[in-house]
Amino acid sequence: MTSRVIALDLDGTLLTPKKTLLPSSLEALARAKAAGHQLIIVTGRHHVAIHPFYQALALDTPAICCNGTYLYDYHAKKVLSADPLPVSQAQQLITLLDEHAVHGLMYVDNAMLYEKPTGHVERTNTWAQQLPPEQRPVFQQVTSLRTAAQEVESIWKFALTDEDTQKLKNFAHHVEQTLGLECEWSWHDQVDIARAGNSKGRRLSEWVASQGLSMKDVVAFGDNYNDISMLEAAGIGVAMGNADDAVKAHANVVIGDNTVDSIAKFIYQELL
């Protein structure tokens, strides 16, 4: 199989449950890069929350962030292309969040904003504090997301969490029906909301075309519902063994889970 681009989701895919990179994955990806393959991160994360992984992989490509909402150049420290949420739609969403008592983490510019700390925020902050200061993502508590939405330059997405998954599913459906926004599950208890039309597959396709390549030249690795668009668009979509069956159904290949050398084995057997 010929591939010139390796697209990599992070959480649940390239990262272990402890948010670390397997040495075997690092070695295999370094060899793939040396052999001429381009590596690109395609994640639901904010660009400020992928520094350690971007640097460990020694990448020179931009990163696709917030489920395809924007393309970020780490070396120039700038957004290359983006389709953020209009403030008016963000305000409407914040109204619904308040009405339904759902927590929303608002991803903006170079930070993630929240009103009340939740388990998700606290866990991510604990992970962040273990990193060197220059690699730590910025979490900022604000008194009002509504006010903050009017003061920032760009609103990338909202990440919603709730212990009641059914409540979250119902809320996401209500948002799609009333506001026409894109709701994608990025974790078992997190749904991401962004402007309609944004997806990992769409932004990846645009970047691949800018490189003079086709999506047939891409092998994409993913594990969750927000990865389906790129698994379907890639020449070879590879689902992790820990993915839901509904996600696996959209992939060409299913490998082992994210705790073992699954990605490395696939690269050695199929790409090198």
Side-chain angles (χ1 to χ4, degrees), residues 34-86:
H37 298 284
Q38 292 193 76
L39 314 181
I40 183 168
I41 288 174
V42 188
T43 181
R45 289 187 179 223
H46 196 299
H47 70 268
V48 299
I50 63 177
H51 281 290
F53 316 121
Y54 188 91
Q55 291 171 4
L57 291 164
L59 300 180
D60 54 9
T61 50
I64 294 172
C65 303
C66 289
N67 300 325
T69 296
Y70 66 106
L71 182 69
Y72 186 79
D73 185 330
Y74 266 94
H75 300 279
K77 292 184 171 58
K78 68 176 183 179
V79 173
L80 299 177
S81 58
D83 190 16
L85 269 169

Side-chain angles (χ1 to χ4, degrees), residues 63-243:
I64 294 172
C65 303
C66 289
N67 300 325
T69 296
Y70 66 106
L71 182 69
Y72 186 79
D73 185 330
Y74 266 94
H75 300 279
K77 292 184 171 58
K78 68 176 183 179
V79 173
L80 299 177
S81 58
D83 190 16
L85 269 169
V87 173
S88 59
Q89 282 192 307
Q91 298 281 25
Q92 289 176 308
L93 177 56
I94 291 167
T95 296
L96 290 180
L97 289 171
D98 292 340
E99 290 176 354
H100 293 260
V102 174
H103 168 71
L105 185 63
M106 188 167 73
Y107 289 49
V108 304
D109 301 338
N110 295 303
M112 288 162 283
L113 312 181
Y114 64 94
E115 290 182 1
K116 298 177 182 178
T118 63
H120 170 66
V121 170
E122 290 172 350
R123 286 192 299 273
T124 310
N125 244 332
T126 298
W127 167 77
Q129 292 309 309
Q130 299 170 359
L131 300 173
E134 66 275 9
Q135 291 186 347
R136 288 176 193 163
V138 179
F139 283 91
Q140 185 179 338
Q141 188 168 17
V142 296
T143 54
S144 168
L145 288 179
R146 183 178 302 280
T147 300
Q150 295 174 320
E151 297 172 345
V152 299
E153 235 177 83
S154 298
I155 302 168
W156 305 127
K157 75 167 188 178
F158 283 76
L160 314 184
T161 56
D162 198 283
E163 292 180 0
D164 186 342
T165 307
Q166 189 57 52
K167 174 185 174 182
L168 208 52
K169 287 180 180 177
N170 294 340
F171 182 77
H173 180 71
H174 181 61
V175 168
E176 287 180 329
Q177 295 298 309
T178 58
L179 301 184
L181 296 175
E182 197 84 41
C183 298
E184 291 189 308
W185 290 84
S186 59
W187 206 242
H188 64 90
D189 62 351
Q190 178 175 314
V191 63
D192 297 338
I193 300 183
R195 194 169 191 176
N198 285 327
S199 71
K200 291 185 175 186
R202 177 185 172 187
R203 190 68 64 182
L204 178 60
S205 297
E206 291 176 357
W207 180 77
V208 168
S210 76
Q211 302 303 296
L213 299 170
S214 159
M215 286 300 288
K216 292 179 180 178
D217 302 312
V218 178
V219 57
F221 293 86
D223 76 298
N224 223 310
Y225 290 89
N226 61 334
D227 296 314
I228 288 175
S229 62
M230 74 168 179
L231 293 177
E232 290 184 329
I236 297 292
V238 183
M240 304 302 293
N242 47 284

